[in-house]
Amino acid sequence: MNNKRIYLCLAHMSEDGMEQKYIKEAFDTNWVVPLGPNVNGFEKDLEEFVGEGKRVVALSAGTAAVHLALIAAGVKAGDEVLVQSFTFCASSHPITYLGATPVFVDSEKDSWNMDSDLLEEAIKDRIAKTGRKPKAIVPVALYGMPYQIDRIMEIANRYDIPVIEDAAEGFGSRWNGQVLGTFGEYGVLSFNGNKMITTSGGGALVCPDDEAWQRIMWLATQAREAYPYYQHEAIGYNYRMSNICAGIGRGQMTIVDEHIAHHKHIQRLYEEAFANVNGIEMHRAPDERFDSNYWLCTVLLDESLRVKGQEAAYGTQVQGAVGGAGGVVHLSDSLHTDCEPNANVEAMRVWLDKKGVEARPLWKPMHRQPVYQGAPAYVNGVSEAVFKCGMCLPSGPCVTDDDVRYIVESVREAME
Ligand SMILES: *Cc1c(COP(=O)(O)O)cnc(C)c1O
């Protein structure tokens, strides 16, 4: 019996306490502000890591990076932005912040990411319907899996629409050997507590050149003009990363390669263990061009798979929101929605929870979210079908080989 609880993806610090060393340095030198040597150092580390001559601005959140990239791409109220539907809400919410409209694009079956044929269909149809081109394209590296960026870039270039890569979950994933976030005009990174590396909370925007970098830096620091007093000629944001958080980031950059290797290792263990289990299918890279960091390991449960307790699935009200979002007391008024994971998936989640294993449903597609009711969507049924039979299993540096054996054993026990 396993006595510890196994979480989905926990933050993990370096063995030699580099994070604390950088934080202490910030205190000792009184750089306890949203700029300073750690921020500069972290940005340098990130630039080195992503390569391709890109510049990086460290920000307070990945969501802030999406927001600023959209602004830099010229998105304004009334515009439309094409965004992958199968994603976490941070990819699309900033479109709404700007008074623009997200146009959701469904996924391809193999990678679960933006379907390029649907993307082109959507572009043509939006131009036909509105007489205007969408202002940006936002593909998402869901669970770390690369999107087919060569096909997306070909279409984007042909229609001259900037691409903002949401690589928040795909930090260190590569397409054909090149790091995600460096193909499009901008690349979004996230260092939230459960991502590939963490700064407790934080993000960054990968920028194409010095000029773009300057502009993002200016927007992230309240758009101050060069005068001895506060002079504002545009609206800016307070989005710069704190020097304390950046200290954690610098420490984390010393172990990022280890983290990625461990995530891949855990994925391989699951693949081997589930290879001959009927009804369970690991999601994996379609071919060697897709070099996923396997931020989260995900499985599909066949609809016909019987799981203990599935008759009672969804029978009781869940307390709090997914991921233990702080202070969420927004009680739902029903046990069901019109688009939810299959009963066997929910039963498996509850079974694993009782076994001390945190599993989670896949992200519910944005085009099925009530808040985006009425937003245009170009769908082929893939993301909804995958959402209904998929789940995320624990991954990352805190999950051991023994944990994987225990999790797989627990999954097998749940099967009738
Ligand atoms: C985490 C995440 C972001 C950014 O989130 P922050 O929590 O604001 O750093 C953006 N897009 C996706 C797909 C994510 O998973």
Side-chain angles (χ1 to χ4, degrees):
M1 187 60 202
N2 205 319
N3 286 322
K4 74 168 183 181
R5 203 172 153 73
I6 309 173
Y7 292 94
L8 204 64
C9 185
L10 282 182
H12 174 262
M13 298 299 125
S14 67
E15 304 287 319
D16 47 5
M18 291 302 282
E19 292 85 358
Q20 296 198 41
K21 175 188 152 282
Y22 286 119
I23 291 176
K24 183 169 185 305
E25 227 169 71
F27 275 89
D28 290 348
T29 55
N30 210 16
W31 279 103
V32 188
V33 278
L35 80 166
N38 281 338
V39 183
N40 299 337
F42 185 40
E43 286 170 341
K44 275 272 157 314
D45 291 345
L46 290 169
E47 284 173 2
E48 215 162 278
F49 183 86
V50 302
E52 310 297 324
K54 300 283 179 177
R55 300 296 319 272
V56 174
V57 181
L59 301 165
S60 55
T63 311
V66 176
H67 194 183
L68 293 186
L70 291 166
I71 293 169
V75 176
K76 296 204 167 62
D79 287 338
E80 290 189 340
V81 174
L82 295 152
V83 57
Q84 184 167 317
S85 181
F86 203 10
T87 188
F88 179 64
C89 66
S91 309
S92 54
H93 280 4
I95 300 168
T96 311
Y97 301 166
L98 289 167
T101 304
V103 175
F104 294 110
V105 180
D106 213 335
S107 292
E108 51 181 22
K109 211 158 168 278
D110 288 347
S111 71
W112 295 2
N113 291 325
M114 186 179 272
D115 182 302
S116 51
D117 294 333
L118 264 186
L119 169 66
E120 180 155 21
E121 187 185 318
I123 295 172
K124 285 184 181 156
D125 197 54
R126 293 330 290 167
I127 295 172
K129 287 207 166 86
T130 69
R132 296 165 61 208
K133 267 193 310 196
K135 279 297 198 44
I137 299 169
V138 186
V140 181
L142 200 66
Y143 310 121
M145 186 64 69
Y147 24 74
Q148 296 211 41
I149 191 63
D150 53 352
R151 297 177 66 174
I152 292 168
M153 287 309 296
E154 188 275 318
I155 294 165
N157 290 337
R158 195 144 37 80
Y159 288 91
D160 193 24
I161 303 173
V163 170
I164 297 167
E165 293 181 69
D166 185 344
E169 300 177 4
F171 183 54
S173 295
R174 289 172 166 85
W175 172 263
N176 267 338
Q178 187 177 330
V179 175
L180 294 191
T182 61
F183 292 86
E185 182 89 354
Y186 291 96
V188 171
L189 305 177
S190 169
F191 314 115
N192 206 338
N194 59 355
K195 294 283 161 79
M196 183 53 76
I197 60 164
T198 187
T199 58
S200 66
L205 192 62
V206 180
C207 303
D209 49 36
D210 289 340
E211 196 185 329
W213 180 86
Q214 280 279 348
R215 173 124 195 277
I216 295 298
M217 192 67 84
W218 173 74
L219 283 168
T221 50
Q222 303 287 30
R224 305 173 205 188
E225 303 298 338
Y227 291 93
Y229 43 86
Y230 289 137
Q231 169 81 6
H232 297 289
E233 298 172 13
I235 297 293
Y237 301 83
N238 182 11
Y239 279 171
R240 194 95 165 99
M241 182 178 277
S242 119
N243 197 51
I244 301 297
C245 295
I248 306 175
R250 286 179 88 180
Q252 291 272 286
M253 285 305 282
T254 65
I255 48 170
V256 62
D257 292 331
E258 282 168 44
H259 277 198
I260 294 171
H262 192 87
H263 280 255
K264 289 180 174 179
H265 169 69
I266 295 298
Q267 166 76 15
R268 202 163 51 243
L269 292 182
Y270 279 125
E271 282 179 15
E272 283 164 14
F274 283 125
N276 45 19
V277 179
N278 284 334
I280 307 263
E281 189 195 330
M282 283 300 289
H283 177 47
R284 56 203 293 182
D287 60 57
E288 67 284 354
R289 292 171 304 168
F290 299 78
D291 180 3
S292 176
N293 64 10
Y294 289 109
W295 170 60
L296 289 186
C297 301
T298 52
V299 286
L300 294 177
L301 273 61
D302 196 277
E303 231 178 318
S304 64
L305 185 76
R306 303 281 309 165
V307 173
K308 286 174 186 158
Q310 80 179 60
E311 297 73 23
Y314 294 113
T316 48
Q317 177 80 58
V318 170
Q319 301 292 316
V322 183
V328 172
V329 286
H330 209 143
L331 265 192
S332 326
D333 40 21
S334 79
L335 297 171
H336 293 275
T337 69
D338 63 356
C339 175
E340 64 189 14
N342 293 333
N344 62 357
V345 172
E346 174 59 6
M348 184 65 82
R349 185 191 69 77
V350 170
W351 174 274
L352 290 174
D353 185 56
K354 287 191 184 127
K355 289 272 173 184
V357 176
E358 186 195 13
R360 195 177 282 182
L362 302 184
W363 304 177
K364 179 166 171 169
M366 288 303 132
H367 75 276
R368 294 306 315 266
Q369 297 286 2
V371 76
Y372 287 120
Q373 214 168 19
Y378 294 80
V379 297
N380 54 18
V382 169
S383 63
E384 193 170 333
V386 169
F387 166 66
K388 285 178 178 166
C389 41
M391 73 191 314
C392 307
L393 296 175
S395 52
C398 298
V399 176
T400 65
D401 291 21
D402 280 341
D403 290 341
V404 173
R405 276 189 282 276
Y406 174 77
I407 293 163
V408 171
E409 199 43 51
S410 301
V411 168
R412 296 181 74 137
E413 279 172 27
M415 293 162 59
E416 286 187 331

